């Protein structure tokens, strides 16, 4: 993998600490940064300057753009990424609670699209293991009925 800047390395360590309990986590060089993958899908990518590219649900995109330091993600100069891709400025995630907010928003989307399983796992194999379903709050929700999403935890 490509070498990381000190800012990027520190951010990757902070994100890993938040998701290391997930059963399928790995790092991949992607989008000019170091992506954290959960269940074979990117949740976030740490940029060289310590910024964070976050993958979120497209229907939450506009609401999340209202968060401090959030902006529409770009793929190079003048090429906007689609709905569900947000870049968060380093100063907006300097606080652990704010970083947790963004990682939780990304995990909410990840678990909704993966069902908590990596693409390589069959549904038969998953039903035979000892995991249990627990609740994870949706940090971006404004109503109580929208605040729970399920994820798998060992």
């Amino acid at each position: 993998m490509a070498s990381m800047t000190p800012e990027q390395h520190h951010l990757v360590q902070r994100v890993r600490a938040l998701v290391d309990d997930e059963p399928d986590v790995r790092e991949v060089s992607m989008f000019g940064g170091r992506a954290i993958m959960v269940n074979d899908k990117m949740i976030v990518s740490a940029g060289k300057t310590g910024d964070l590219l976050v993958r979120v649900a497209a229907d939450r995109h506009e609401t999340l753009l209202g968060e401090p330091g959030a902006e529409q993600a770009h793929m190079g100069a003048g090429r906007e990424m689609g709905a569900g891709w947000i870049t968060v400025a380093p100063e907006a995630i300097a606080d652990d609670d704010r970083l947790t907010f963004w990682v939780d928003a990304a995990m909410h989307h990840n678990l909704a699209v993966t069902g908590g399983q990596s693409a390589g796992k069959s549904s038969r194999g998953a039903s035979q293991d000892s995991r249990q379903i627990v609740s994870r709050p949706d940090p971006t929700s404004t109503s109580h009925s929208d605040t729970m999403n399920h994820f798998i935890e060992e």
Side-chain angles (χ1 to χ4, degrees), residues 10-101:
H10 179 67
L11 182 54
V12 166
Q13 288 180 319
R14 292 175 62 213
V15 171
R16 287 294 305 237
L18 296 172
V19 298
D20 269 347
D21 288 341
E22 294 295 328
D24 183 10
V25 179
R26 63 189 174 96
E27 291 178 32
V28 177
S29 292
M30 183 186 301
F31 297 120
R34 185 63 55 92
I36 304 296
M37 312 283 285
V38 174
N39 301 320
D40 294 326
K41 302 285 185 195
M42 187 194 96
I43 58 166
V44 298
S45 181
K48 294 186 184 308
T49 63
D51 59 312
L52 191 68
L53 175 65
V54 185
R55 182 67 169 123
V56 298
D59 64 348
R60 303 297 298 156
H61 184 88
E62 291 302 319
T63 300
L64 290 169
L65 284 177
E67 292 292 326
E71 65 179 36
Q72 174 65 51
H74 291 84
M75 179 67 75
R79 288 183 40 201
E80 279 190 1
M81 296 177 79
W85 295 96
I86 295 175
T87 299
V88 184
E91 59 275 5
I93 51 173
D95 176 83
D96 287 341
D97 289 340
R98 294 307 300 162
L99 178 61
T100 299
F101 170 86

